[in-house]
């Protein structure tokens, strides 16, 4: 069996898109996935399957969420192996435990691409934030004290492309890979 991670976009934020993790876990098990675990209350699900159809998983999970919780949310599925490769290619400046910097990994939900994201959001503010694309992700770090002055902070939440992004902290991503 191979390990996969499903990242749900925008669940359990400010009382919206409520998805109880215990019920979500049961939903994954009902789909036939094994070794299902959730992490935090923000839609991180780790599971195993003999199948290898990520697009099929994404569709199944989205349909299950709609049926069980009545919400239509973007779902990003990635193999643990691919996520490990992404982390192995992290730039030196990302995720280095600097308390002045906030490190995130942006997952780009297909069919969107890095070119689409960059085209809509634009250049990072050089003195405040850094980005680097790799595969279907963007490593993004920014100054904790000046985050509101960055170019990417407001646009990752409000630009048209924002519905095709789901973001996790460096610590969350590392923990998910360990599970």
């Amino acid at each position: 069996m191979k390990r996969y991670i499903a990242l749900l976009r925008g669940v359990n934020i400010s009382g919206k898109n409520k998805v109880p993790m215990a019920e979500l876990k049961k939903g994954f098990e009902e789909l036939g996935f094994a070794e299902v675990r959730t992490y935090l209350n923000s839609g991180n699900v780790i599971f195993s399957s003999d199948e290898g159809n990520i697009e099929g998983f994404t569709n199944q999970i989205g349909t299950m969420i709609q049926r069980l919780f009545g919400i239509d949310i973007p779902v990003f599925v990635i193999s643990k192996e691919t996520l490990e490769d992404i982390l192995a290619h992290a730039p030196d400046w990302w995720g280095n435990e600097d308390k002045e910097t906030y490190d995130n990994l942006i997952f780009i939900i297909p069919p969107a691409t890095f070119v689409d994201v960059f085209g809509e959001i634009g250049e990072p503010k050089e003195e405040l934030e850094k980005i680097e694309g790799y595969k279907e992700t963007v490593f993004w770090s920014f100054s904790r004290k000046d985050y509101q002055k960055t170019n990417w902070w407001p646009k990752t939440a409000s630009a048209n492309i924002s519905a095709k992004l789901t973001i996790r902290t460096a610590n969350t991503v590392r923990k998910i890979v360990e599970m």
Side-chain angles (χ1 to χ4, degrees):
M1 283 214 184
K2 194 169 178 181
R3 293 294 273 169
Y4 295 90
I5 295 106
L7 304 173
L8 313 184
R9 184 186 184 284
V11 300
N12 300 330
I13 297 176
S14 303
K16 294 181 182 173
N17 295 333
K18 291 185 180 182
V19 176
M21 293 299 106
E23 291 177 39
L24 181 62
K25 180 179 186 275
K26 286 179 186 174
F28 270 73
E29 291 168 344
E30 288 171 4
L31 291 175
F33 298 126
E35 303 173 290
V36 179
R37 296 180 68 188
T38 62
Y39 179 67
L40 299 176
N41 197 36
S42 55
N44 306 300
V45 184
I46 303 91
F47 62 96
S48 295
S49 177
D50 287 328
E51 303 290 320
N53 184 350
I54 287 181
E55 186 177 333
F57 294 161
T58 302
N59 293 334
Q60 285 180 294
I61 294 164
T63 300
M64 176 266 294
I65 291 168
Q66 176 69 42
R67 180 177 50 82
L68 291 181
F69 307 106
I71 56 175
D72 184 21
I73 57 167
V75 176
F76 182 87
V77 178
I78 189 169
S79 72
K80 179 182 176 189
E81 180 179 89
T82 300
L83 188 52
E84 288 171 334
D85 174 66
I86 290 166
L87 290 177
H89 287 87
D92 292 339
W93 47 261
W94 186 86
N96 62 13
E97 305 300 322
D98 175 1
K99 301 293 184 208
E100 301 296 313
T101 303
Y102 200 65
D103 300 303
N104 286 318
L105 190 58
I106 301 172
F107 295 88
I108 304 168
I109 301 170
T113 65
F114 176 76
V115 171
D116 298 331
V117 174
F118 190 84
E120 188 163 333
I121 295 177
E123 293 281 344
K125 287 191 179 170
E126 192 171 314
E127 67 282 1
L128 299 176
E129 61 188 332
K130 295 179 185 179
I131 65 161
E132 184 173 313
Y134 182 73
K135 294 190 175 180
E136 59 270 348
T137 62
V138 180
F139 294 96
W140 174 38
S141 297
F142 53 90
S143 165
R144 283 183 186 268
K145 66 179 174 123
D146 295 319
Y147 72 92
Q148 292 176 320
K149 297 176 186 174
T150 68
N151 186 41
W152 278 56
W153 178 266
K155 292 182 180 178
T156 56
S158 65
N160 290 333
I161 198 81
S162 68
K164 293 292 185 182
L165 309 175
T166 190
I167 304 171
R168 301 298 188 275
T169 66
N171 290 338
T172 296
V173 174
R174 286 185 177 125
K175 180 67 178 177
I176 288 169
V177 166
E178 292 171 7
M179 295 178 78

